[in-house]
Amino acid sequence: MQRRTPLRPNRRATLLAAAGALGLLALPLGAARAQDGPIRIGEINSYTGLPAFTVPYRQGWQLAVEEVNAAGGLLGGRKIEVISRDDAGRPDDAVRIAQELVSNERVVLLAGTYYSHVGLAVADFAARNKVPFLAAEPLSDALTWTKGNAYTFRLRPSTYMQSAMLVEEAAKLPAKRWATVAPNYEYGQSAVAWFKQMLKEKRPDVEFVGEQWPALGKLEAGPTVQALAAAKPEAIFNVTFGADLSKFVREGEQRGLFRNRPVVSVLTGEPEYLEPLRDEAPEGWIVTGYPWDQIDTPEHKAFLDAYRAKFKDFPRLGSVVGYSTFKAIAAAIEKAGSTEPQAVTAALKGLQLSSPFGPITFRASDHQATMGAFVGRTTVKDGTGTMTGWRYADGANYLPSDEAAAKMRPAP
Amino acid sequence: MSFYLVQFLSGLATAATLFLVSSGLTIVFGVTRIVNFAHGSFYMLGAYIGWSLAERIGSTPLGFWGGVLAAALAAGVLGAVMEVLLLRRLYRSPELFQLLATFGVVLVVQDVASWIWGPEDLLGRRAPGLRGSVEILDQVFPLYDLVLIALGPLVLAGLWLMFHRTRWGTLIRAATQDREMTAALGVEPGRLFTGVLFLGSALAGLGGALQVPREAINLGMDMGIVVEAFVVVVVGGMGSLMGAFVASLLIGQLQAFGILVFPEITLVLVFLFMAVVLVLRPYGLLGRAEEAPPTAASPGPPLSASTGIAAWAPLLLLALLALVPLFAGEYALIVLTELVILALFAASLHLLIGLGGLVSFGHAAYFGLGAYGAALLATSWAAPMPLALAGAPLLGGLGALIAGWFCVRRSGLYFAMLTLAFAQIAWSVTFQWYGVTGGDNGILGVWPDPWASGKTAFYLLTLGLCGGALFLLRRVAFAPFGYALRAGRDSPLRAEAVGIDVRRTQWFAFTLAGSAAGLAGGLYAFSKGSVFPTLMSVPTSVDALVMVLMGGVQTLAGPVVGAALFHLLRTEIMSLTDLWRLILGLVIIGLVLAFPKGVVGFARDLVQRGRAA
């Protein structure tokens, strides 16, 4: 009986919506490729998902682009134009955006990303579409090693490098019984795995007596601290960061976990993580980080002054990463002498440039940059956390040899 | 021994926070039947406001506790405002439509909070006078946590007194038991609901403000807590305050001791627990059968098949879409491909929601299973693409077959939360099973075979497969099976009486929906080249739900239109501005207010009214 009902309007609505959809889609069709117009770079990052990290990063690359363009641009006067997009922290969105940037915006190179899985997704896209991709912030070792590809390069020191830098210091401690606490995902797991492996190589007498794997962002601080204390370790290796870290530090202080117990902690010296802890920043942890207010090399001073003048704010580590990423892109294009993807990719291999941290090289063997980090101890000064007794650990010294690294990469 | 005691106390402190938040949620749900996604947002707002007040006046005990109370009241007021401005206009819409509105509020609050308080984590002041710790059997324990432990039962007692010793509380209990009857007896529901939203949101805000001395306030607090609060509410039994209390105690202890026994599975422990409780007890620990919520869709006018020209409209649309590659660019094709896939995904969920009256919160699991099935076949076993694609619906269907057997034994929100539990379990398995799934680094290199690798070829393939699947889903709706499914939705009792095995029909529908979602997932994997656990995470499930609700649950075209609308809005706004959550949230709220039956439902009403005139 109902089958006789005449014309159903819901179909009409479908058609209308579809027509509207097509109209929307037809709009942003590609700009023509120009040989003398600006050089277009596609940039993707988790701006809404992780604003605390990505906004300083964006300011960093904005400064670099401004400097390059003010100095007359590249390839005889062509300016850099960056088309920047938010990936909402989702790899599938990032792949779609990469496609949009390549097809519609005709970018010659992709850059950015923060999360490792987003970085890997874009890297895979880049290899497939033969577009060079300079990953700025992801830490996963897979990006340049087990899942490395010909078109992907990475600037920031990887999980392995961060662990290696800390192992060197940890091995000097008398502690023999270690406990670890790390967020339960690839970054936390590989940081702990590398730390254990390398520390045991240097100090066969250490043992690992306890481990905690809180879910990322969901650390149950009290129970975790108590469980760590129950293992009676002589030292602790910490990989938690962000909101988890502040809970862990607070509970740990209140429950005396850190009393007479050295803590070795990845990334905690970066202003992104140290600054929100204010005067409750832990005292004497051995960390990797970035003591922005204390580095007085000329490269860093120039960067610091320019950054503060432009943004009326101090730089975070992300700012240095964003700045150096785009300086590297500019150097690669200049070295290639063109914007052809193959030429730029070839130029990135072995590219040398000066960064605020000193000279860095993109290794030809595994496409990892030799940018390092600062290793030192945390302390509180004037009501904020900072680093003391630090030294610059050059990334080149904390990477496996070229041959060993190349062996970990898939066959081309 | 002393160690276990302190661990137990830590669990109690966790439980106290959980109880404050979930008691608010259970009260709101009990009276208004609203699945309030925004509850976590009020928790977060309470925390932020509490932080601001603690910074200004929190150096004295009076200022600090006054600030906590003020933050709770402020969150309560905001909740009442949401009720008056938004929810009140939606009580006559289909059930669950309010869920969409509260989701819009979540998005808006995220951006507004980021705008007011900035993106960085904010570490608040410790409570004055309670900074230190006490020694309990030579274990150190923070003083503040002791205060929290005491606060949980105090709030419970306060609420109990309010509900049993005041007129307003009695009215609330009456409305929880029978909303219609209470209204019929002359209690104005509007005022009651506003009051309930105020109370519930204030409790959430109190829970949030009390976190200031414990952790850094951050923008991820809202989604973190709301899922856990739902778990507590459902485990305890919906609408049951005592149940929420018992459930938060259990879950607090589970988390405190779970990390000692299985430090690696903290990700799913609570969901496993919820699944077990729901399998054993249909209405949670202390819930009662009559408090079970009505099913999702109020049926509305029955579905009817189109005839005449309209019957050909889908084919015409398909033909039009097949012509798009002639003039569209590469990127447009990519977006269209995604859109077609998501349309199938949404339509598969609609089979459950619209026809079965079964609201699934975990539909992404089957989408993800399909994606992983296809990706694993294509990479680990080097299967050709057609074979890998064939595996996708099989794996999605298999997963749904297993989960469905348990889920269809429950109804309403209990069903929804059980699907969520299974989805979370599937998610954590893919997240942690490095050897097979690659963990959170996913599986890369899932690209189509050469013959389908062109954008046009893959688009046409997707269009063909999804079009076919959509056609089949439509056939299902008008086949005897579809009628049986709808009968089970509208009146399970009568359906059983005429000989329909409602449970088995729903189980098959669940499996069918799972395999359709699996096919969509498989195609999605090949269109992206990589798969990650995010594909089966809660946000993906929520996206699917939003698509279905946006289009409207009462028509078959609803989910397809909803998927197109949502995806286009999201991609277009995202490429224009960083404030896309704010804008998307406002658009959703606007749509909800303008089209309280979904976009397609609105269009249909319009035409029907026109014809009647």
Side-chain angles (χ1 to χ4, degrees), chain A residues 31-377:
Chain A
R33 176 175 259 169
Q35 279 311 319
D36 44 2
I39 297 171
R40 296 162 79 88
I41 311 285
E43 200 280 332
I44 304 171
N45 221 322
S46 305
Y47 290 112
T48 53
L50 282 167
F53 303 91
T54 44
V55 170
Y57 158 88
R58 174 159 58 195
Q59 294 183 347
W61 65 250
Q62 281 169 343
L63 177 63
V65 169
E66 192 183 88
E67 285 181 10
V68 170
N69 285 343
L74 300 171
L75 304 179
R78 291 174 67 185
K79 302 254 192 261
I80 295 184
E81 185 184 333
V82 182
I83 295 110
S84 171
R85 294 275 189 269
D86 176 34
D87 63 28
R90 288 164 44 153
D92 43 342
D93 280 339
V95 170
R96 183 189 59 246
I97 290 160
Q99 183 75 53
E100 186 223 325
L101 292 172
V102 170
S103 308
N104 283 3
E105 305 292 345
R106 306 278 165 198
V107 301
V108 299
L109 180 144
L110 293 168
T113 71
Y114 184 93
Y115 289 112
S116 288
H117 58 309
V118 177
L120 285 165
V122 175
D124 198 44
F125 171 89
R128 167 106 177 151
N129 292 277
K130 302 193 167 32
V131 185
F133 168 48
L134 180 46
E137 308 209 60
L139 289 169
S140 174
D141 299 307
L143 197 62
T144 48
W145 294 346
T146 53
K147 291 182 181 163
N149 67 54
Y151 292 87
T152 300
F153 297 80
R154 191 237 314 268
L155 179 77
R156 197 169 166 208
S158 64
T159 312
Y160 173 90
M161 295 161 77
Q162 306 268 357
S163 300
M165 292 169 194
L166 288 172
V167 162
E168 194 176 46
E169 300 300 318
K172 294 178 195 158
L173 296 171
K176 288 198 184 106
R177 292 166 59 86
W178 284 78
T180 63
V181 52
N184 197 356
Y185 73 114
E186 198 263 355
Y187 162 62
Q189 284 155 354
S190 53
V192 168
W194 286 126
F195 185 82
K196 278 185 175 176
Q197 186 189 327
M198 288 189 274
L199 187 60
K200 283 216 155 152
E201 277 163 19
K202 287 205 161 120
R203 286 278 302 274
D205 58 331
V206 300
E207 53 173 337
F208 286 86
V209 294
E211 49 188 54
Q212 280 300 317
W213 298 102
L216 179 62
K218 295 228 162 94
L219 178 93
E220 289 292 330
T224 304
V225 164
Q226 218 63 42
L228 282 174
K232 306 219 180 319
E234 290 162 13
I236 294 170
F237 178 60
N238 166 57
V239 195
T240 66
F241 58 90
D244 286 338
L245 176 71
S246 29
K247 274 192 268 185
F248 180 64
V249 169
R250 265 204 165 159
E251 258 340 279
E253 290 287 347
Q254 282 193 317
R255 298 183 186 223
L257 178 67
F258 311 133
R259 246 176 256 158
N260 305 322
R261 237 179 230 138
V263 178
V264 173
S265 185
V266 194
L267 305 184
T268 309
E270 295 182 358
E272 281 93 330
Y273 301 115
L274 210 46
E275 207 245 350
L277 290 170
R278 303 203 286 189
D279 60 341
E280 291 182 42
E283 192 73 47
W285 286 19
I286 299 169
V287 296
T288 53
Y290 169 42
W292 63 272
D293 51 342
Q294 303 167 46
I295 307 167
D296 47 13
T297 60
E299 303 95 307
H300 186 263
K301 269 199 81 64
F303 163 77
L304 182 65
D305 292 344
Y307 190 92
R308 299 191 90 164
K310 186 166 163 65
F311 299 109
K312 317 278 176 252
D313 193 5
F314 65 91
R316 318 296 202 273
L317 184 80
S319 318
V320 180
V321 171
Y323 180 82
S324 308
T325 301
F326 274 73
K327 284 288 172 135
I329 292 169
I333 291 173
E334 200 59 43
K335 180 180 164 196
S338 87
T339 57
E340 284 306 309
Q342 300 296 341
V344 176
T345 309
L348 273 165
K349 280 188 195 179
L351 178 76
Q352 296 183 340
L353 73 146
S354 164
S355 79
F357 289 180
I360 56 173
T361 308
F362 282 88
R363 306 207 309 174
S365 59
D366 60 358
H367 296 190
Q368 171 67 47
T370 60
M371 183 179 180
F374 295 83
V375 182
R377 284 177 185 267

Side-chain angles (χ1 to χ4, degrees), chain B residues 20-30 34 36 39 200 226 229-230 233:
Chain B
L20 287 179
V21 180
S22 48
S23 64
L25 192 62
T26 208
I27 293 170
V28 169
F29 184 86
I34 291 174
N36 184 7
H39 198 69
V226 74
F230 269 115
V233 166

Side-chain angles (χ1 to χ4, degrees), chain B residues 452-526:
Chain B
S453 64
K455 305 276 183 286
T456 307
F458 191 77
Y459 168 68
L460 290 176
L461 175 75
T462 307
L463 195 62
L465 285 175
C466 290
L470 282 169
F471 174 73
L472 286 178
L473 285 178
R474 190 181 167 282
R475 280 295 295 265
V476 165
F478 294 107
F481 175 74
Y483 281 104
L485 190 62
R486 284 189 261 161
R489 170 197 69 189
D490 295 345
S491 175
L493 213 58
R494 284 181 217 167
E496 294 276 0
V498 296
I500 296 171
D501 188 339
V502 172
R503 213 167 253 180
R504 202 170 63 185
T505 314
Q506 291 179 337
W507 184 28
F508 288 164
F510 199 90
T511 310
L512 184 65
S515 36
L519 175 64
L523 285 165
Y524 200 69
F526 278 106

